[in-house]
Amino acid sequence: MIEPLLGSTNAERALLFLLAREEGYPSDIARLFDTNLYGIQKQLEKLESGGVLASCTVGRTRLYRFNP
């Protein structure tokens, strides 16, 4: 759907997940789409460095949401 704009299926999956749930953990996103956790983490980091997403640490895991 928007993968050609983003250049990655995992980026599309991460954004759709966050659009539906407002926030989430990389492992939840990977589990829902039955995909590789590492790929989801890399795309989330890319989106965060681009200013699209923001994250905070909860325990040992990062929680992502759209950057207000």
Short mmCIF file of all heavy atoms in Angstrom, two decimals:
data_model
loop_
_atom_site.label_atom_id
_atom_site.label_comp_id
_atom_site.label_asym_id
_atom_site.label_seq_id
_atom_site.Cartn_x
_atom_site.Cartn_y
_atom_site.Cartn_z
N MET A 1 0.82 -1.19 0.00
CA MET A 1 0.00 0.00 0.00
C MET A 1 0.87 1.26 0.00
O MET A 1 0.95 1.93 -1.00
CB MET A 1 -0.93 -0.05 1.21
CG MET A 1 -1.98 1.01 1.19
SD MET A 1 -3.34 0.62 2.29
CE MET A 1 -2.98 1.69 3.65
N ILE A 2 1.54 1.59 1.10
CA ILE A 2 2.42 2.77 1.13
C ILE A 2 3.89 2.38 1.12
O ILE A 2 4.75 3.21 1.24
CB ILE A 2 2.12 3.69 2.33
CG1 ILE A 2 2.32 2.94 3.65
CG2 ILE A 2 0.73 4.26 2.23
CD1 ILE A 2 2.20 3.82 4.88
N GLU A 3 4.14 1.09 0.93
CA GLU A 3 5.51 0.59 0.91
C GLU A 3 6.38 1.27 -0.14
O GLU A 3 7.53 1.59 0.14
CB GLU A 3 5.51 -0.92 0.73
CG GLU A 3 6.86 -1.55 0.91
CD GLU A 3 7.32 -2.23 -0.36
OE1 GLU A 3 6.49 -2.71 -1.12
OE2 GLU A 3 8.54 -2.27 -0.55
N PRO A 4 5.87 1.57 -1.35
CA PRO A 4 6.72 2.27 -2.31
C PRO A 4 7.18 3.65 -1.83
O PRO A 4 8.29 4.08 -2.14
CB PRO A 4 5.83 2.39 -3.55
CG PRO A 4 4.85 1.28 -3.44
CD PRO A 4 4.61 1.13 -1.96
N LEU A 5 6.37 4.32 -1.05
CA LEU A 5 6.76 5.61 -0.48
C LEU A 5 7.83 5.46 0.58
O LEU A 5 8.74 6.27 0.69
CB LEU A 5 5.55 6.31 0.14
CG LEU A 5 4.55 6.94 -0.79
CD1 LEU A 5 3.34 7.42 -0.01
CD2 LEU A 5 5.17 8.08 -1.55
N LEU A 6 7.69 4.43 1.40
CA LEU A 6 8.58 4.23 2.54
C LEU A 6 9.83 3.43 2.18
O LEU A 6 10.84 3.54 2.86
CB LEU A 6 7.84 3.51 3.66
CG LEU A 6 6.61 4.23 4.20
CD1 LEU A 6 5.84 3.33 5.14
CD2 LEU A 6 7.01 5.51 4.88
N GLY A 7 9.74 2.62 1.13
CA GLY A 7 10.87 1.81 0.72
C GLY A 7 11.04 0.53 1.51
O GLY A 7 12.03 -0.15 1.34
N SER A 8 10.08 0.21 2.38
CA SER A 8 10.22 -0.99 3.20
C SER A 8 8.85 -1.48 3.66
O SER A 8 8.02 -0.70 4.15
CB SER A 8 11.07 -0.68 4.43
OG SER A 8 10.98 -1.70 5.39
N THR A 9 8.66 -2.76 3.54
CA THR A 9 7.44 -3.38 4.04
C THR A 9 7.38 -3.28 5.56
O THR A 9 6.31 -3.03 6.14
CB THR A 9 7.37 -4.86 3.61
OG1 THR A 9 7.44 -4.92 2.19
CG2 THR A 9 6.09 -5.51 4.07
N ASN A 10 8.52 -3.45 6.22
CA ASN A 10 8.53 -3.38 7.69
C ASN A 10 8.21 -1.98 8.19
O ASN A 10 7.56 -1.83 9.23
CB ASN A 10 9.88 -3.85 8.24
CG ASN A 10 10.01 -5.35 8.21
OD1 ASN A 10 9.02 -6.06 8.24
ND2 ASN A 10 11.22 -5.84 8.13
N ALA A 11 8.62 -0.94 7.48
CA ALA A 11 8.27 0.43 7.87
C ALA A 11 6.76 0.62 7.76
O ALA A 11 6.13 1.22 8.63
CB ALA A 11 9.01 1.44 7.01
N GLU A 12 6.18 0.11 6.68
CA GLU A 12 4.73 0.20 6.51
C GLU A 12 4.00 -0.53 7.64
O GLU A 12 3.06 0.01 8.22
CB GLU A 12 4.33 -0.41 5.16
CG GLU A 12 2.84 -0.41 4.93
CD GLU A 12 2.45 -1.07 3.62
OE1 GLU A 12 3.27 -1.77 3.01
OE2 GLU A 12 1.28 -0.88 3.24
N ARG A 13 4.47 -1.72 7.96
CA ARG A 13 3.84 -2.50 9.03
C ARG A 13 3.93 -1.78 10.37
O ARG A 13 2.95 -1.74 11.13
CB ARG A 13 4.51 -3.86 9.14
CG ARG A 13 4.22 -4.76 7.98
CD ARG A 13 5.06 -6.00 8.01
NE ARG A 13 4.67 -6.92 6.94
CZ ARG A 13 5.36 -7.98 6.62
NH1 ARG A 13 6.48 -8.28 7.24
NH2 ARG A 13 4.94 -8.76 5.64
N ALA A 14 5.08 -1.22 10.66
CA ALA A 14 5.27 -0.50 11.93
C ALA A 14 4.34 0.71 12.02
O ALA A 14 3.70 0.93 13.05
CB ALA A 14 6.72 -0.07 12.09
N LEU A 15 4.24 1.47 10.94
CA LEU A 15 3.39 2.65 10.96
C LEU A 15 1.91 2.28 11.05
O LEU A 15 1.15 2.94 11.77
CB LEU A 15 3.64 3.51 9.72
CG LEU A 15 5.00 4.20 9.69
CD1 LEU A 15 5.20 4.93 8.37
CD2 LEU A 15 5.15 5.17 10.86
N LEU A 16 1.50 1.24 10.36
CA LEU A 16 0.10 0.80 10.46
C LEU A 16 -0.23 0.32 11.87
O LEU A 16 -1.31 0.62 12.39
CB LEU A 16 -0.18 -0.31 9.44
CG LEU A 16 -0.22 0.12 7.99
CD1 LEU A 16 -0.34 -1.09 7.07
CD2 LEU A 16 -1.35 1.09 7.74
N PHE A 17 0.68 -0.41 12.49
CA PHE A 17 0.48 -0.87 13.85
C PHE A 17 0.32 0.32 14.79
O PHE A 17 -0.60 0.37 15.61
CB PHE A 17 1.69 -1.72 14.29
CG PHE A 17 1.57 -2.27 15.68
CD1 PHE A 17 1.07 -3.54 15.89
CD2 PHE A 17 1.98 -1.53 16.78
CE1 PHE A 17 0.97 -4.06 17.17
CE2 PHE A 17 1.89 -2.04 18.06
CZ PHE A 17 1.37 -3.31 18.27
N LEU A 18 1.21 1.31 14.69
CA LEU A 18 1.16 2.46 15.58
C LEU A 18 -0.05 3.34 15.29
O LEU A 18 -0.60 3.95 16.21
CB LEU A 18 2.45 3.27 15.47
CG LEU A 18 3.69 2.53 15.97
CD1 LEU A 18 4.94 3.36 15.70
CD2 LEU A 18 3.58 2.21 17.45
N LEU A 19 -0.49 3.40 14.05
CA LEU A 19 -1.70 4.14 13.72
C LEU A 19 -2.91 3.52 14.40
O LEU A 19 -3.77 4.22 14.94
CB LEU A 19 -1.89 4.17 12.21
CG LEU A 19 -3.07 4.98 11.70
CD1 LEU A 19 -2.89 6.46 12.04
CD2 LEU A 19 -3.22 4.81 10.20
N ALA A 20 -2.96 2.20 14.42
CA ALA A 20 -4.10 1.50 15.02
C ALA A 20 -4.05 1.49 16.54
O ALA A 20 -5.08 1.63 17.20
CB ALA A 20 -4.14 0.06 14.51
N ARG A 21 -2.85 1.37 17.13
CA ARG A 21 -2.75 1.19 18.58
C ARG A 21 -2.13 2.36 19.33
O ARG A 21 -2.01 2.31 20.54
CB ARG A 21 -1.94 -0.07 18.87
CG ARG A 21 -2.62 -1.30 18.30
CD ARG A 21 -2.13 -2.52 18.94
NE ARG A 21 -2.76 -3.69 18.35
CZ ARG A 21 -2.41 -4.90 18.60
NH1 ARG A 21 -1.42 -5.14 19.44
NH2 ARG A 21 -3.03 -5.90 18.03
N GLU A 22 -1.65 3.37 18.61
CA GLU A 22 -1.06 4.58 19.17
C GLU A 22 0.35 4.39 19.72
O GLU A 22 1.15 5.31 19.66
CB GLU A 22 -1.95 5.23 20.22
CG GLU A 22 -3.26 5.72 19.64
CD GLU A 22 -4.11 6.44 20.66
OE1 GLU A 22 -3.60 6.83 21.72
OE2 GLU A 22 -5.31 6.60 20.38
N GLU A 23 0.68 3.25 20.28
CA GLU A 23 2.03 2.98 20.77
C GLU A 23 2.25 1.47 20.78
O GLU A 23 1.30 0.70 20.77
CB GLU A 23 2.27 3.57 22.15
CG GLU A 23 1.39 3.00 23.24
CD GLU A 23 1.61 3.68 24.58
OE1 GLU A 23 2.14 4.79 24.62
OE2 GLU A 23 1.25 3.07 25.59
N GLY A 24 3.52 1.08 20.79
CA GLY A 24 3.79 -0.35 20.80
C GLY A 24 5.26 -0.68 20.89
O GLY A 24 6.12 0.17 20.68
N TYR A 25 5.51 -1.93 21.21
CA TYR A 25 6.86 -2.47 21.31
C TYR A 25 7.23 -3.13 19.99
O TYR A 25 6.36 -3.72 19.34
CB TYR A 25 6.93 -3.51 22.42
CG TYR A 25 6.64 -2.97 23.80
CD1 TYR A 25 5.41 -3.16 24.40
CD2 TYR A 25 7.62 -2.26 24.49
CE1 TYR A 25 5.14 -2.67 25.66
CE2 TYR A 25 7.36 -1.77 25.76
CZ TYR A 25 6.12 -1.97 26.34
OH TYR A 25 5.87 -1.48 27.58
N PRO A 26 8.50 -3.10 19.63
CA PRO A 26 8.92 -3.77 18.40
C PRO A 26 8.54 -5.25 18.37
O PRO A 26 8.12 -5.77 17.33
CB PRO A 26 10.44 -3.60 18.41
CG PRO A 26 10.68 -2.38 19.22
CD PRO A 26 9.61 -2.36 20.26
N SER A 27 8.65 -5.93 19.50
CA SER A 27 8.32 -7.36 19.53
C SER A 27 6.83 -7.60 19.25
O SER A 27 6.47 -8.58 18.60
CB SER A 27 8.70 -7.98 20.87
OG SER A 27 8.06 -7.31 21.93
N ASP A 28 5.96 -6.71 19.70
CA ASP A 28 4.53 -6.84 19.42
C ASP A 28 4.25 -6.67 17.93
O ASP A 28 3.42 -7.38 17.36
CB ASP A 28 3.72 -5.80 20.20
CG ASP A 28 3.69 -6.06 21.69
OD1 ASP A 28 3.96 -7.21 22.10
OD2 ASP A 28 3.42 -5.11 22.44
N ILE A 29 4.93 -5.72 17.31
CA ILE A 29 4.74 -5.47 15.88
C ILE A 29 5.21 -6.68 15.08
O ILE A 29 4.51 -7.16 14.19
CB ILE A 29 5.50 -4.19 15.45
CG1 ILE A 29 4.96 -2.98 16.20
CG2 ILE A 29 5.39 -3.99 13.94
CD1 ILE A 29 5.82 -1.73 16.06
N ALA A 30 6.40 -7.18 15.41
CA ALA A 30 6.95 -8.34 14.70
C ALA A 30 6.06 -9.57 14.88
O ALA A 30 5.83 -10.32 13.93
CB ALA A 30 8.36 -8.63 15.20
N ARG A 31 5.55 -9.76 16.07
CA ARG A 31 4.69 -10.91 16.35
C ARG A 31 3.38 -10.82 15.56
O ARG A 31 2.93 -11.81 14.98
CB ARG A 31 4.39 -11.00 17.84
CG ARG A 31 3.75 -12.29 18.27
CD ARG A 31 3.55 -12.42 19.79
NE ARG A 31 4.76 -12.09 20.54
CZ ARG A 31 4.89 -11.03 21.35
NH1 ARG A 31 3.89 -10.19 21.52
NH2 ARG A 31 6.01 -10.82 22.00
N LEU A 32 2.77 -9.64 15.52
CA LEU A 32 1.50 -9.48 14.82
C LEU A 32 1.65 -9.78 13.33
O LEU A 32 0.80 -10.45 12.74
CB LEU A 32 0.97 -8.05 15.01
CG LEU A 32 -0.31 -7.74 14.25
CD1 LEU A 32 -1.48 -8.51 14.87
CD2 LEU A 32 -0.60 -6.25 14.26
N PHE A 33 2.72 -9.31 12.73
CA PHE A 33 2.92 -9.50 11.29
C PHE A 33 3.77 -10.74 10.96
O PHE A 33 4.08 -10.96 9.80
CB PHE A 33 3.55 -8.25 10.69
CG PHE A 33 2.63 -7.07 10.68
CD1 PHE A 33 2.80 -6.04 11.59
CD2 PHE A 33 1.58 -7.00 9.79
CE1 PHE A 33 1.94 -4.94 11.59
CE2 PHE A 33 0.71 -5.91 9.78
CZ PHE A 33 0.90 -4.88 10.69
N ASP A 34 4.13 -11.50 11.99
CA ASP A 34 4.94 -12.71 11.82
C ASP A 34 6.17 -12.42 10.96
O ASP A 34 6.39 -13.02 9.91
CB ASP A 34 4.10 -13.83 11.20
CG ASP A 34 4.81 -15.17 11.27
OD1 ASP A 34 5.59 -15.38 12.23
OD2 ASP A 34 4.60 -16.00 10.37
N THR A 35 6.95 -11.44 11.40
CA THR A 35 8.14 -11.02 10.68
C THR A 35 9.34 -10.93 11.62
O THR A 35 9.19 -11.09 12.83
CB THR A 35 7.89 -9.68 9.96
OG1 THR A 35 8.96 -9.42 9.06
CG2 THR A 35 7.73 -8.53 10.93
N ASN A 36 10.48 -10.65 11.07
CA ASN A 36 11.74 -10.59 11.79
C ASN A 36 11.79 -9.37 12.72
O ASN A 36 11.59 -8.25 12.27
CB ASN A 36 12.87 -10.53 10.76
CG ASN A 36 14.23 -10.58 11.38
OD1 ASN A 36 14.43 -10.28 12.54
ND2 ASN A 36 15.19 -10.96 10.57
N LEU A 37 12.08 -9.58 13.99
CA LEU A 37 12.17 -8.50 14.97
C LEU A 37 13.25 -7.49 14.61
O LEU A 37 13.04 -6.29 14.71
CB LEU A 37 12.42 -9.07 16.37
CG LEU A 37 12.65 -8.06 17.49
CD1 LEU A 37 11.45 -7.14 17.66
CD2 LEU A 37 12.97 -8.78 18.79
N TYR A 38 14.40 -7.98 14.17
CA TYR A 38 15.52 -7.09 13.83
C TYR A 38 15.12 -6.09 12.73
O TYR A 38 15.44 -4.91 12.81
CB TYR A 38 16.73 -7.92 13.38
CG TYR A 38 17.92 -7.08 13.02
CD1 TYR A 38 18.70 -6.49 14.00
CD2 TYR A 38 18.26 -6.88 11.69
CE1 TYR A 38 19.79 -5.71 13.67
CE2 TYR A 38 19.35 -6.11 11.34
CZ TYR A 38 20.12 -5.52 12.33
OH TYR A 38 21.20 -4.75 11.99
N GLY A 39 14.40 -6.55 11.72
CA GLY A 39 13.96 -5.67 10.63
C GLY A 39 13.02 -4.59 11.12
O GLY A 39 13.11 -3.43 10.71
N ILE A 40 12.12 -4.95 12.02
CA ILE A 40 11.18 -3.97 12.60
C ILE A 40 11.95 -2.96 13.43
O ILE A 40 11.73 -1.75 13.33
CB ILE A 40 10.11 -4.68 13.45
CG1 ILE A 40 9.20 -5.55 12.58
CG2 ILE A 40 9.30 -3.68 14.26
CD1 ILE A 40 8.29 -4.79 11.64
N GLN A 41 12.89 -3.42 14.25
CA GLN A 41 13.68 -2.52 15.09
C GLN A 41 14.45 -1.51 14.24
O GLN A 41 14.49 -0.32 14.57
CB GLN A 41 14.65 -3.30 15.96
CG GLN A 41 14.00 -4.05 17.08
CD GLN A 41 14.96 -4.96 17.82
OE1 GLN A 41 15.86 -5.55 17.21
NE2 GLN A 41 14.76 -5.09 19.11
N LYS A 42 15.06 -1.95 13.17
CA LYS A 42 15.83 -1.07 12.31
C LYS A 42 14.94 0.00 11.67
O LYS A 42 15.32 1.17 11.58
CB LYS A 42 16.57 -1.86 11.22
CG LYS A 42 17.75 -2.60 11.76
CD LYS A 42 18.76 -1.60 12.29
CE LYS A 42 19.75 -2.23 13.21
NZ LYS A 42 20.49 -1.31 14.02
N GLN A 43 13.76 -0.40 11.23
CA GLN A 43 12.85 0.57 10.62
C GLN A 43 12.33 1.57 11.65
O GLN A 43 12.20 2.76 11.36
CB GLN A 43 11.69 -0.14 9.92
CG GLN A 43 12.11 -0.88 8.68
CD GLN A 43 12.83 0.00 7.69
OE1 GLN A 43 12.41 1.12 7.40
NE2 GLN A 43 13.94 -0.49 7.17
N LEU A 44 12.05 1.11 12.86
CA LEU A 44 11.60 2.02 13.92
C LEU A 44 12.70 3.02 14.26
O LEU A 44 12.42 4.22 14.44
CB LEU A 44 11.18 1.23 15.16
CG LEU A 44 9.89 0.42 15.03
CD1 LEU A 44 9.73 -0.50 16.22
CD2 LEU A 44 8.69 1.34 14.88
N GLU A 45 13.94 2.57 14.32
CA GLU A 45 15.06 3.47 14.59
C GLU A 45 15.20 4.50 13.48
O GLU A 45 15.44 5.69 13.74
CB GLU A 45 16.36 2.67 14.73
CG GLU A 45 16.43 1.84 15.98
CD GLU A 45 17.60 0.86 16.00
OE1 GLU A 45 18.45 0.90 15.07
OE2 GLU A 45 17.65 0.04 16.93
N LYS A 46 15.04 4.07 12.24
CA LYS A 46 15.11 4.98 11.09
C LYS A 46 14.00 6.04 11.15
O LYS A 46 14.25 7.23 10.93
CB LYS A 46 14.96 4.16 9.81
CG LYS A 46 16.03 4.37 8.79
CD LYS A 46 15.89 3.31 7.72
CE LYS A 46 15.76 3.95 6.37
NZ LYS A 46 15.76 3.00 5.28
N LEU A 47 12.80 5.59 11.45
CA LEU A 47 11.67 6.52 11.54
C LEU A 47 11.83 7.48 12.71
O LEU A 47 11.44 8.64 12.63
CB LEU A 47 10.36 5.74 11.65
CG LEU A 47 9.95 4.99 10.38
CD1 LEU A 47 8.85 3.98 10.69
CD2 LEU A 47 9.50 5.96 9.31
N GLU A 48 12.43 7.01 13.79
CA GLU A 48 12.68 7.89 14.93
C GLU A 48 13.76 8.92 14.60
O GLU A 48 13.61 10.10 14.91
CB GLU A 48 13.09 7.08 16.16
CG GLU A 48 13.27 7.96 17.39
CD GLU A 48 13.63 7.18 18.63
OE1 GLU A 48 14.16 6.06 18.53
OE2 GLU A 48 13.37 7.72 19.73
N SER A 49 14.81 8.50 13.95
CA SER A 49 15.88 9.46 13.59
C SER A 49 15.38 10.48 12.57
O SER A 49 15.89 11.59 12.51
CB SER A 49 17.12 8.73 13.08
OG SER A 49 16.88 8.16 11.82
N GLY A 50 14.36 10.12 11.79
CA GLY A 50 13.76 11.05 10.84
C GLY A 50 12.71 11.96 11.47
O GLY A 50 12.15 12.82 10.79
N GLY A 51 12.42 11.76 12.75
CA GLY A 51 11.47 12.62 13.45
C GLY A 51 10.02 12.19 13.34
O GLY A 51 9.13 12.88 13.83
N VAL A 52 9.75 11.07 12.70
CA VAL A 52 8.37 10.60 12.55
C VAL A 52 7.86 9.97 13.84
O VAL A 52 6.72 10.17 14.23
CB VAL A 52 8.27 9.58 11.39
CG1 VAL A 52 6.87 9.01 11.27
CG2 VAL A 52 8.71 10.21 10.09
N LEU A 53 8.74 9.23 14.53
CA LEU A 53 8.38 8.54 15.76
C LEU A 53 9.19 9.05 16.93
O LEU A 53 10.25 9.64 16.75
CB LEU A 53 8.63 7.03 15.62
CG LEU A 53 7.88 6.29 14.53
CD1 LEU A 53 8.28 4.81 14.53
CD2 LEU A 53 6.39 6.44 14.66
N ALA A 54 8.68 8.83 18.11
CA ALA A 54 9.39 9.11 19.36
C ALA A 54 9.34 7.82 20.19
O ALA A 54 8.44 7.00 20.03
CB ALA A 54 8.73 10.25 20.12
N SER A 55 10.32 7.65 21.06
CA SER A 55 10.33 6.45 21.89
C SER A 55 10.76 6.78 23.30
O SER A 55 11.34 7.84 23.57
CB SER A 55 11.27 5.40 21.30
OG SER A 55 12.61 5.80 21.43
N CYS A 56 10.47 5.86 24.20
CA CYS A 56 10.95 5.95 25.58
C CYS A 56 11.24 4.53 26.03
O CYS A 56 10.73 3.57 25.49
CB CYS A 56 9.91 6.61 26.48
SG CYS A 56 8.37 5.72 26.63
N THR A 57 12.11 4.41 27.01
CA THR A 57 12.48 3.10 27.52
C THR A 57 11.55 2.70 28.66
O THR A 57 11.33 3.47 29.59
CB THR A 57 13.94 3.11 28.02
OG1 THR A 57 14.78 3.55 26.96
CG2 THR A 57 14.38 1.74 28.46
N VAL A 58 11.01 1.51 28.55
CA VAL A 58 10.16 0.93 29.59
C VAL A 58 10.80 -0.40 29.95
O VAL A 58 10.74 -1.35 29.19
CB VAL A 58 8.71 0.72 29.10
CG1 VAL A 58 7.86 0.08 30.18
CG2 VAL A 58 8.11 2.02 28.61
N GLY A 59 11.46 -0.42 31.11
CA GLY A 59 12.22 -1.62 31.47
C GLY A 59 13.43 -1.72 30.57
O GLY A 59 14.22 -0.80 30.46
N ARG A 60 13.51 -2.84 29.86
CA ARG A 60 14.63 -3.05 28.93
C ARG A 60 14.20 -2.87 27.48
O ARG A 60 14.97 -3.16 26.57
CB ARG A 60 15.19 -4.45 29.11
CG ARG A 60 15.84 -4.66 30.45
CD ARG A 60 16.38 -6.06 30.65
NE ARG A 60 16.40 -6.86 29.43
CZ ARG A 60 16.37 -8.18 29.40
NH1 ARG A 60 16.29 -8.86 30.52
NH2 ARG A 60 16.42 -8.84 28.27
N THR A 61 12.98 -2.44 27.25
CA THR A 61 12.43 -2.35 25.91
C THR A 61 12.03 -0.92 25.57
O THR A 61 11.64 -0.16 26.44
CB THR A 61 11.19 -3.27 25.79
OG1 THR A 61 11.51 -4.56 26.29
CG2 THR A 61 10.71 -3.39 24.38
N ARG A 62 12.12 -0.58 24.29
CA ARG A 62 11.70 0.75 23.84
C ARG A 62 10.25 0.70 23.39
O ARG A 62 9.84 -0.21 22.67
CB ARG A 62 12.60 1.22 22.71
CG ARG A 62 14.02 1.40 23.18
CD ARG A 62 14.87 2.21 22.26
NE ARG A 62 14.59 3.62 22.25
CZ ARG A 62 14.89 4.48 23.21
NH1 ARG A 62 15.46 4.05 24.31
NH2 ARG A 62 14.63 5.75 23.09
N LEU A 63 9.50 1.69 23.81
CA LEU A 63 8.10 1.84 23.44
C LEU A 63 8.03 2.98 22.43
O LEU A 63 8.52 4.08 22.69
CB LEU A 63 7.26 2.17 24.69
CG LEU A 63 5.77 2.37 24.49
CD1 LEU A 63 5.13 1.06 24.03
CD2 LEU A 63 5.14 2.83 25.78
N TYR A 64 7.44 2.72 21.26
CA TYR A 64 7.38 3.71 20.19
C TYR A 64 5.98 4.27 20.04
O TYR A 64 4.98 3.59 20.27
CB TYR A 64 7.82 3.07 18.86
CG TYR A 64 9.29 2.81 18.80
CD1 TYR A 64 9.82 1.62 19.27
CD2 TYR A 64 10.16 3.74 18.27
CE1 TYR A 64 11.18 1.37 19.23
CE2 TYR A 64 11.53 3.50 18.21
CZ TYR A 64 12.01 2.31 18.69
OH TYR A 64 13.37 2.08 18.64
N ARG A 65 5.92 5.53 19.61
CA ARG A 65 4.67 6.21 19.28
C ARG A 65 4.97 7.30 18.27
O ARG A 65 6.13 7.62 18.04
CB ARG A 65 4.01 6.78 20.52
CG ARG A 65 4.83 7.87 21.20
CD ARG A 65 4.12 8.49 22.39
NE ARG A 65 3.74 7.49 23.34
CZ ARG A 65 4.35 7.29 24.51
NH1 ARG A 65 5.36 8.05 24.86
NH2 ARG A 65 3.95 6.37 25.34
N PHE A 66 3.94 7.85 17.66
CA PHE A 66 4.17 8.96 16.73
C PHE A 66 4.69 10.16 17.48
O PHE A 66 4.29 10.43 18.62
CB PHE A 66 2.87 9.33 15.98
CG PHE A 66 2.56 8.37 14.87
CD1 PHE A 66 1.60 7.38 15.04
CD2 PHE A 66 3.23 8.44 13.67
CE1 PHE A 66 1.31 6.49 14.03
CE2 PHE A 66 2.95 7.56 12.64
CZ PHE A 66 1.99 6.58 12.83
N ASN A 67 5.60 10.88 16.86
CA ASN A 67 6.19 12.06 17.48
C ASN A 67 5.16 13.19 17.47
O ASN A 67 4.69 13.59 16.41
CB ASN A 67 7.43 12.48 16.68
CG ASN A 67 8.25 13.54 17.37
OD1 ASN A 67 7.85 14.07 18.40
ND2 ASN A 67 9.38 13.86 16.79
N PRO A 68 4.81 13.70 18.65
CA PRO A 68 3.80 14.77 18.70
C PRO A 68 4.37 16.04 18.13
O PRO A 68 3.73 16.90 17.67
CB PRO A 68 3.50 14.94 20.20
CG PRO A 68 4.58 14.24 20.92
CD PRO A 68 5.25 13.30 19.97
#
